[in-house]
């Protein structure tokens, strides 16, 4: 391939060249000159900084699928053994899912022609049905986790492996109201049967239709490497959609970065090498510091053979590993032997700044401020608040994807089964798509938004509420992760009990203006 930009003759160039070769040559020379001086510097092939930078404009699947197996394995290894990698996964999961999302059914009463009383009654019954299902381990096919715990597993799997499948199954259990259950399938088990090559209709275990939409998922019965399991794998083709158009399979994943993307990479993919090298450096510095802290000596004799006895005792024929002595150990020296100190100069003074710089690089790579990544808020109040605000913007987007991909579809499946079993009465649910959508309206509330100054945040919330820029529902959801109606009901119950007990102190104390905090030093 040529390293110079060349102007390709167009159809007009060829016509002009056929009529007047001189004019055609001049035109082509002018276009060649423009090609050499215009365009992006990053696209030049003749510059020394980029001449060895070889890339190819491949499709999303061609760039992603060949490396997925290695990326997942390395991501999981870092999560198991590197504290910074573990924080990069756990921190977003904590703030996106936390203890689980709370649903508040909000049906469209105008579309359904319901009175406010009928609307409130139906929503209470739907909430009761959901809580009965979601609060039981029977929500999990393996009868191990509740729905909130499955939320955590799903979000953690997305970030650790790139994506995860949730298959909606029906498993009637004695004493249970509904039979809907969820089967979580790890990313590795979704693959092409018998090692088939990826193509336009089957890529990464996902079977696609003519429009590129998922038609089915091919799931193996186990991992390739599993304890006590031998023999070949068997695949099951799971249709993505049911006959009525509802989802059979939920594909949970992160941001779709490119069109036609079928599978997704772990969150740690851009920083895997940085994390591994950082871990090696930290381990080397730690070992050097341990050696330095112990009583390390060197033996010097007049004959220069002070180490021969040590080598013979160890039976070493090659380089000996460092053997750590007990701190404060005293040695008896032989004739003509002297002690010389050994000072490796550890820990290095540059260790902490360098590790901090790498933590900032990793934080940028996983879209997480390094203050949250390292759990160290050593800057000013303003800087710490800015870090939380930036992180919250990322968490809000991830929470929205989580609700759209997982929470809402599962809620719809549960309510649909409840309607089919006549546990809930919803006229027109299965016959009219618009009425079905009206019955399935819901709002989801996740974990509380982090705050570093509750008094300031409460003052701001009160101001926004007075301006009409927010609602009590949103404030209670963001600050406490709860449903305002449930909080209001508890307050009313407490007020009634206090009144019955003759307690004169009002439930809502008069709001006092918090004292202004001194300016933070930057």
């Amino acid at each position: 391939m040529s390293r110079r930009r060349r102007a390709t003759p167009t159809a007009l160039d060829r016509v002009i060249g056929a009529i007047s070769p001189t004019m055609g040559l001049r035109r082509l020379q002018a276009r060649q000159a423009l090609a050499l001086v215009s365009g992006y510097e990053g696209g030049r092939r003749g510059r020394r900084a980029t001449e060895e930078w070889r890339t190819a404009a491949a499709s999303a699947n061609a760039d992603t699928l060949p490396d997925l197996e290695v990326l997942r394995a390395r991501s999981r290894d870092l999560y198991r053994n590197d504290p910074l990698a573990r924080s990069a996964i756990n921190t977003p999961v904590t703030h996106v899912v936390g203890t689980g999302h709370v649903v508040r059914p909000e049906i469209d009463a105008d579309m359904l022609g319901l009175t406010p009383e009928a609307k409130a009654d139906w929503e209470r019954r739907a909430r009761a049905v959901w809580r009965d299902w979601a609060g039981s381990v029977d929500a999990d096919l393996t009868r191990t986790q509740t729905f909130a715990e499955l939320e955590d597993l799903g979000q953690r799997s997305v970030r650790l492996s790139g994506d995860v499948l949730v298959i909606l199954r029906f498993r009637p259990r004695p004493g249970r109201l509904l039979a809907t259950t969820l089967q979580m399938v790890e990313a590795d088990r979704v693959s092409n049967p018998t090692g088939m090559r990826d193509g336009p209709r089957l890529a990464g275990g996902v079977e696609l239709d003519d429009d590129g939409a998922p038609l089915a998922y091919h799931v193996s019965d186990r991992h390739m490497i599993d304890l006590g399991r031998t023999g070949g794998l068997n695949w099951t083709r799971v249709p993505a959609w049911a006959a009525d158009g509802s989802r059979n399979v939920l594909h949970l994943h992160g941001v779709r970065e490119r069109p036609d993307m079928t599978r997704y990479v772990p969150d740690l993919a851009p920083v895997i090498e940085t994390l591994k090298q950082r871990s090696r450096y930290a381990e080397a510095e730690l070992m050097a510091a341990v050696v330095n802290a112990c009583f390390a000596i060197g033996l010097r004799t007049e004959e220069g053979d002070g180490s021969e006895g040590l080598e013979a005792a160890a039976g070493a024929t090659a380089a000996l590993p460092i053997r750590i002595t007990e701190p404060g150990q005293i040695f008896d020296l032989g004739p003509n032997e002297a002690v010389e100190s050994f000072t490796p100069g550890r820990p290095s003074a540059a260790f902490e700044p360098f590790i901090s710089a790498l933590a900032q690089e990793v934080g940028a790579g996983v879209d997480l401020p390094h203050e949250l990544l390292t759990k160290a808020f050593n800057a000013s109040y303003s800087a710490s608040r800015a870090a939380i605000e930036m992180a919250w913007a990322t968490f809000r987007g991830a929470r929205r994807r989580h609700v759209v991909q997982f929470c809402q579809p599962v809620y719809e499946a549960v309510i649909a089964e409840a309607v089919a079993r006549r546990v809930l009465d919803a006229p027109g649910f299965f016959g009219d798509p618009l009425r079905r959508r009206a019955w399935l309206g819901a709002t989801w509330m996740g974990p509380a938004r982090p705050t570093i100054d509750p008094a300031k945040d409460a003052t701001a919330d009160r101001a926004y509420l007075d301006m009409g820029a927010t609602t009590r529902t949103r404030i209670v959801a963001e600050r406490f992760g709860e449903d305002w109606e449930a909080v209001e009901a508890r307050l009313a119950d407490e007020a009634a009990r206090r009144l019955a007990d003759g307690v004169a102190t009002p439930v809502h104390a008069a709001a006092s203006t918090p004292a202004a905090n001194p300016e933070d030093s930057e």
Side-chain angles (χ1 to χ4, degrees), residues 411-436:
Y411 172 79
E412 293 177 1
V414 169
I415 296 301
E417 185 187 358
V419 173
R421 293 178 179 271
R422 300 186 182 278
V423 176
L424 293 173
D425 183 25
F429 187 92
F430 294 107
D432 187 342
L434 292 180
R435 293 180 67 84
R436 179 188 179 96

Side-chain angles (χ1 to χ4, degrees), residues 130-140 143 145-147 176:
W130 171 259
R131 288 175 178 172
D132 176 75
W133 179 86
S136 170
V137 294
D138 287 323
D140 181 7
R143 307 186 83 171
Q145 297 177 293
T146 65
F147 179 73
R176 298 303 305 163

Side-chain angles (χ1 to χ4, degrees), residues 309-373:
L310 296 177
E311 293 179 359
T317 58
L320 294 175
I322 296 176
R323 184 171 182 178
I324 306 299
T325 62
E326 291 294 331
Q329 187 171 351
I330 299 176
F331 294 88
D332 291 329
L333 302 178
N336 300 322
E337 291 182 348
V339 175
E340 290 189 351
S341 63
F342 171 68
T343 306
R346 291 294 188 276
S348 170
F351 174 73
E352 197 280 331
F354 185 65
I355 286 293
S356 297
L358 288 180
Q360 294 183 36
E361 181 179 339
V362 171
V366 297
D367 202 11
L368 189 66
H370 73 277
E371 290 90 346
L372 273 75
L373 182 65

Side-chain angles (χ1 to χ4, degrees), residues 151-187:
E151 283 190 75
D152 182 282
L153 178 61
Q155 183 66 202
R156 196 176 304 276
S157 298
V158 166
R159 296 186 176 276
L160 194 58
S161 303
D163 54 9
V164 65
L165 287 194
V166 183
I167 303 177
L168 276 70
R169 304 281 297 273
F170 288 91
R171 187 78 75 220
R173 317 254 191 201
R176 298 303 305 163
L177 185 66
L178 303 177
T180 299
T181 60
L182 305 178
Q183 180 184 5
M184 308 292 287
V185 179
E186 197 165 31

Side-chain angles (χ1 to χ4, degrees), residues 79-357:
Y79 181 75
R80 288 190 296 263
N81 299 291
D82 186 86
L84 200 65
R86 198 170 190 86
S87 177
I89 299 297
N90 288 344
T91 301
V93 172
T94 299
H95 292 284
V96 172
V97 174
T99 57
H101 282 71
V102 177
V103 67
R104 190 180 73 184
E106 290 186 349
I107 63 177
D108 189 343
D110 293 335
M111 168 68 72
L112 300 171
L114 299 179
T115 64
E117 293 77 14
K119 175 181 182 296
D121 180 69
W122 197 94
E123 290 173 348
R124 279 192 296 269
R125 291 180 58 82
R127 188 183 300 115
V129 170
W130 171 259
R131 288 175 178 172
D132 176 75
W133 179 86
S136 170
V137 294
D138 287 323
D140 181 7
L141 185 68
T142 63
R143 307 186 83 171
T144 305
Q145 297 177 293
T146 65
F147 179 73
E149 293 169 328
L150 290 175
E151 283 190 75
D152 182 282
L153 178 61
Q155 183 66 202
R156 196 176 304 276
S157 298
V158 166
R159 296 186 176 276
L160 194 58
S161 303
D163 54 9
V164 65
L165 287 194
V166 183
I167 303 177
L168 276 70
R169 304 281 297 273
F170 288 91
R171 187 78 75 220
R173 317 254 191 201
R176 298 303 305 163
L177 185 66
L178 303 177
T180 299
T181 60
L182 305 178
Q183 180 184 5
M184 308 292 287
V185 179
E186 197 165 31
D188 310 59
R189 292 176 55 192
V190 183
S191 58
N192 295 349
T194 64
M196 294 175 57
R197 294 185 61 181
D198 294 311
R201 299 298 296 270
L202 180 64
V206 183
E207 184 178 335
L208 306 171
D209 63 14
D210 295 334
D211 299 323
L215 189 64
Y217 296 87
H218 294 263
V219 180
S220 64
D221 57 349
R222 60 179 176 86
H223 283 77
M224 178 66 72
I225 302 176
D226 203 351
L227 292 175
R229 302 288 294 273
T230 58
L233 301 180
N234 297 310
W235 279 265
T236 300
R237 182 182 182 273
V238 183
W241 307 90
D244 62 355
S246 60
R247 295 295 300 257
N248 273 341
V249 180
L250 307 179
H251 189 182
L252 313 187
H253 55 77
V255 177
R256 195 180 196 197
E257 299 173 348
R258 297 176 59 184
D260 303 325
M261 198 169 188
T262 304
R263 304 299 301 275
Y264 301 81
V265 298
D267 279 11
L268 299 181
V271 295
I272 282 178
E273 183 177 0
T274 301
L275 283 168
K276 187 60 178 178
Q277 298 287 42
R278 173 193 172 278
S279 179
R280 287 173 175 169
Y281 173 57
E283 183 180 355
E285 284 288 339
L286 180 60
M287 176 57 70
V290 170
V291 171
N292 192 36
C294 294
F295 186 67
I297 65 171
L299 293 180
R300 178 173 58 85
T301 66
E302 292 182 357
E303 293 79 9
D305 58 353
S307 62
E308 291 181 359
L310 296 177
E311 293 179 359
T317 58
L320 294 175
I322 296 176
R323 184 171 182 178
I324 306 299
T325 62
E326 291 294 331
Q329 187 171 351
I330 299 176
F331 294 88
D332 291 329
L333 302 178
N336 300 322
E337 291 182 348
V339 175
E340 290 189 351
S341 63
F342 171 68
T343 306
R346 291 294 188 276
S348 170
F351 174 73
E352 197 280 331
F354 185 65
I355 286 293
S356 297

